[in-house]
Amino acid sequence: MIEGALKFLIQTLGNLFVIAVLLRFMMQLFRVSFRNPFAQFIVSLTDFAVKPLRRVVPGLYGLDWACLILALVIEFVVVVTSYWLDGFPFALAGARVWPVMLGLAGVRLVSLAVYLIIGLTLVRAVLSWVNSDTPLTPVVYELSEPFLRPLRRVVPMIANVDLTPLVLFILCQLILMVPVLALERALVGAL
């Protein structure tokens, strides 16, 4: 019972921090203003880990690779710890287990990124109905718009209702169900 609670705690805290790091990466990628209180919160939350890593991992092609590597390392630690708490025999598995664990961390990082896109789109839809004047609104709109804009070119408005968030949800679920799940099953099968 203690192992289950510890595994839950490590996965929850690790994944929440990974989501914060992914948000920071996306805010830099999509040029979101960092003057917003929510953006400042994300930067303050992740600065202690991202800033030292930037000294070692430079940005390239306008991407903050330090954020991505940090997210991957944290997800790797979460995956390895989860398997260790489940009693996986690392000593018997040999060296071939580490690339598989790294692959699982990468797949779970992609999965978290897709869930983040779903969450941002859902928050955007709710904010548009409830209160579009919150400090969170500009950040959510700027982070979700790059995913919704291409769909608006294809999906027509029906009776002045924008169905692109629904189409994005379906596409994200398909990504999670087909390639992400297939990769995860293949990697777990390699253990």
Side-chain angles (χ1 to χ4, degrees):
M1 184 187 312
I2 297 294
E3 291 88 6
L6 189 58
K7 182 179 170 184
F8 167 77
L9 188 62
I10 290 169
Q11 286 178 342
T12 301
L13 293 177
N15 287 339
L16 284 174
F17 189 72
V18 167
I19 287 171
V21 172
L22 286 174
L23 276 170
R24 181 179 179 142
F25 174 78
M26 289 174 64
M27 286 189 298
Q28 290 173 339
L29 179 66
F30 299 132
R31 309 284 188 248
V32 175
S33 171
F34 281 88
R35 295 181 184 189
N36 184 290
F38 178 73
Q40 289 175 357
F41 168 74
I42 294 296
V43 169
S44 297
L45 184 67
T46 57
D47 256 355
F48 79 94
V50 172
K51 277 191 173 180
L53 193 58
R54 276 193 186 148
R55 293 184 194 129
V56 181
V57 181
L60 187 63
Y61 302 117
L63 299 176
D64 188 6
W65 291 101
C67 284
L68 285 181
I69 289 174
L70 176 64
L72 183 62
V73 166
I74 292 169
E75 198 58 40
F76 178 77
V77 169
V78 168
V79 167
V80 169
T81 306
S82 297
Y83 273 87
W84 178 71
L85 286 171
D86 284 340
F88 184 80
F90 283 100
L92 300 174
R96 69 175 176 80
V97 74
W98 300 113
V100 173
M101 291 291 165
L102 187 61
L104 277 172
V107 168
R108 294 196 180 159
L109 187 61
V110 169
S111 179
L112 274 176
V114 172
Y115 279 119
L116 182 59
I117 293 166
I118 291 171
L120 287 168
T121 307
L122 183 62
V123 168
R124 177 181 173 147
V126 170
L127 286 176
S128 71
W129 298 331
V130 178
N131 183 7
S132 60
D133 295 330
T134 66
L136 185 62
T137 303
V139 175
V140 170
Y141 270 66
E142 289 180 48
L143 289 175
S144 59
E145 189 61 25
F147 302 102
L148 294 170
R149 189 180 313 117
L151 294 175
R152 283 200 191 99
R153 295 182 194 135
V154 180
V155 179
M157 297 269 286
I158 299 176
N160 290 331
V161 176
D162 185 11
L163 296 177
T164 53
L166 179 62
V167 172
L168 183 60
F169 288 151
I170 293 169
L171 290 174
C172 286
Q173 285 299 324
L174 286 173
I175 290 170
L176 289 170
M177 289 171 63
V178 181
V180 171
L181 187 60
L183 274 172
E184 188 170 4
R185 285 183 179 169
L187 287 166
V188 169
L191 292 174

